Structure formats: C-alpha cells, structure tokens
Amino acid sequence: MVGATTKRIELTRALELVCSTSSEPIALVDASGRVSWTNEAMSKTYGFAGSELEGRVLSEALRSHDPVTLEHVAFTATGASNATIEAVTQRADGSPLWVECERRDVADGSSARVIVLRDDTWRRSSVGLHAARSATLTAIANGEPIAAVLDALVGALHQHTVGVSPSIMLKNADRESLYCAASRGLPEAYASVITDITLGPNVGTCGTAAYVGERQITEDIIDDPCWRDYQD
C-alpha cells in the first residue's frame, strides 16, 4: 500500500513537471473535479494565482453565465474519460473565454485527471462569422426585410464574438439624427439613450461617423474626444 502511494506521488510530481512547461493552461484534478495543481499558463490566462484554484471545483472556479456551458465544463472534469468538449469559461476578471477542454485520465488506477484548456476563440469566431456573412448576403438577395436582416446580423455577431454587444445605427427620415435599428446585449439604460441621436462632431462614435461621412474607430471612450461630452 505504501509502495503504491509512493508511486502515485512520484507520478503526480512527474505530471506537474511535464505540464509546467506547457504554454496551454493545464490543471490536475481529482475524481470530484477539485483542483490539486495548475501550471503557470493557467494563472496567466485566467488571472488566478495557483493557490486560488487549489481545492476548488474547476467547473465552478471557471464559471460561465451560461448554465449549459457550465455543465459541459463539469462534464469534462468529472464525466467519461478522455473527453474533449468546447465551452465558454470565465477569467478572474469576469471576461469570457471560449476554450476546447480536453480531459485525460491518468492510467495508473488513481483518480488523478489532467485538464487542458485551449483557447478556441479565434476559430469559433471565424467559422461563425463566415456563416453569418453568407446568411446575410443570401437574405439580402432574397429580398428579406431590412429590419430582419439587421436583427439576424447583430444576433450572429453577439453569438460568435465573445464579450461584444453589437448595435447598428441608421439615419432617421430627417437625415439629421440616428436611431438604433438592431442590437444585442446592450443595457436598457444605454439603449434608451441612443434611440434618437442628433448628428454632429463629437457625438459619440456613430453620431460623429454619420456627420463627417467617414469611418470612426473608438478604442477607449474615456480618451476619445467623440465621447468627451458623455463621460458622466
């Protein structure tokens, strides 16, 4: 019994040594999905110190706003062996991260399991957005109502771009103001404010773009002059 325990300890240490050099986030968990060790890449990717995750159920620590996705992560940690599942996890700061969760059981009769989390955001976004582009062009060609086309477009953007709340603004009949033609994920208070925006310089990103007739890109509304009058 002592010899078997010693062997498992040595194997666990060997796993930690190998996994510590990986650039992908890796966690060792027990049969209940509780974390016993994480590598440095896990800390860098998710913003948790290793000690913050130890003893916690991995699926709860990397929680998601989507309960179905959360179950997927739990399955990867505690379900059938050698599983690979896509899921949305959550960093320590609350930001979401699409990952491919790969689980491998240690073939020594112990309860140790290796969980590898690979960033899958770019692949999922590119595939989904390509499909959305094709669907949008098809809808336009078929003469679908513009409201339905725009609503489907922002829905696809919201679904396939993590952490994005898209909206499309159009000019009103007077050509002097904008209204929100379609949106997803915007707070109600914000959505109500952008219902009727008068065009002009420094009237947010959309109001300014429509006024000057040129594309406007805002990386940070705190520093952008277009948003100077809306800081409160």
Side-chain angles (χ1 to χ4, degrees), residues 27-230:
L28 299 185
V29 302
D30 60 21
S32 65
R34 294 188 180 278
V35 177
S36 59
W37 178 88
T38 59
N39 65 353
E40 185 177 352
M42 177 72 81
S43 299
K44 289 182 177 179
T45 301
Y46 283 95
F48 291 104
S51 58
E52 292 182 273
L53 291 177
E54 290 179 9
R56 299 176 63 183
V57 176
L58 184 63
S59 61
E60 295 177 358
L62 307 183
R63 60 196 182 281
S64 169
H65 295 296
D66 181 354
V68 175
T69 300
L70 183 60
E71 292 175 7
H72 286 179
V73 180
F75 170 80
T76 303
T78 63
S81 62
N82 300 337
T84 300
I85 294 176
E86 295 176 351
V88 177
T89 55
Q90 187 168 293
R91 299 183 180 93
D93 64 4
S95 60
L97 178 65
W98 271 107
V99 294
E100 179 184 78
C101 306
E102 180 181 0
R103 167 200 165 153
R104 290 290 179 266
D105 288 353
V106 179
D108 69 334
S110 71
S111 60
R113 290 146 185 201
V114 180
I115 308 297
V116 182
L117 302 171
R118 300 186 179 91
D119 189 342
D120 199 37
T121 303
W122 184 88
R123 186 192 67 81
R124 286 191 58 87
S125 294
S126 60
V127 171
L129 292 175
H130 179 75
R133 175 179 179 274
S134 297
T136 300
L137 293 175
T138 299
I140 293 173
N142 291 337
E144 297 288 338
I146 186 63
V149 173
L150 296 181
D151 187 68
L153 179 58
V154 295
L157 289 171
H158 189 244
Q159 178 182 357
H160 299 297
T161 51
V162 176
V164 172
S165 298
S167 63
I168 296 177
M169 308 290 292
L170 296 179
K171 286 184 178 180
N172 281 307
D174 60 12
R175 311 292 292 177
E176 299 295 331
S177 60
L178 297 177
Y179 71 97
C180 184
S183 67
R184 285 289 192 286
L186 294 178
E188 290 186 10
Y190 180 81
S192 64
V193 170
I194 64 174
T195 298
D196 192 11
I197 299 178
T198 301
L199 307 187
N202 302 325
V203 183
T205 307
C206 295
T208 302
Y211 179 75
V212 300
E214 298 177 357
R215 181 175 64 173
Q216 300 290 310
I217 298 176
T218 296
E219 296 183 357
D220 188 344
I221 63 174
I222 298 299
D223 300 323
D224 195 309
C226 292
W227 289 88
R228 182 175 52 215
D229 296 334
Y230 301 91

